[in-house]
Amino acid sequence: MAEVFKSWEIRMPWTPYDADNTKAISGSNGAYEVADERGQVIYIGNAGGKELFGLRGRIMRHFSPEEPNPAIRGRAHRYHYEVTSMWLSRWVEMLGR
């Protein structure tokens, strides 16, 4: 039987953050999720056209010691994302799940 996905799910597998491998993260527009060590989603975000380095820049910021949000700083462990030109509507869809 085929696996069934919910419309809001990102189909890309979760990736543990590796500061030495950030070039693998797309620099395009899209939506993403950041999770803690247990896999609990702690942030749902987006990267639009004005974002420097697109998804790569936004995702890297959450794993930085300079992350301003204390709910994310130090807890972010893994991420996954979806490249899409409809990043804003995709982000809203993910928030409403």
Side-chain angles (χ1 to χ4, degrees):
M1 181 178 232
E3 190 172 351
V4 176
F5 288 100
K6 296 171 183 73
S7 65
W8 52 263
E9 286 183 319
I10 294 176
R11 291 178 176 90
M12 178 186 194
W14 287 99
T15 304
Y17 183 75
D18 178 4
D20 296 329
N21 195 27
T22 57
K23 297 258 188 225
I25 303 171
S26 175
S28 301
N29 299 340
Y32 64 94
E33 293 179 317
V34 175
D36 61 15
E37 287 185 61
R38 297 183 328 233
Q40 181 71 36
V41 174
I42 58 175
Y43 190 81
I44 299 172
N46 66 69
K50 294 184 179 181
E51 185 63 44
L52 190 60
F53 304 114
L55 285 163
R56 182 182 312 135
R58 290 284 293 167
I59 291 170
M60 286 174 54
R61 193 172 318 140
H62 296 302
F63 292 90
S64 162
E66 288 83 34
E67 165 62 53
N69 187 334
I72 301 170
R73 187 176 48 243
R75 290 183 56 211
H77 181 70
R78 62 184 98 178
Y79 65 91
H80 65 171
Y81 62 87
E82 179 178 303
V83 173
T84 178
S85 60
M86 297 181 58
W87 53 271
L88 185 58
S89 59
R90 184 69 174 108
W91 175 65
V92 169
E93 179 181 42
M94 291 165 57
L95 287 174
R97 62 181 165 163

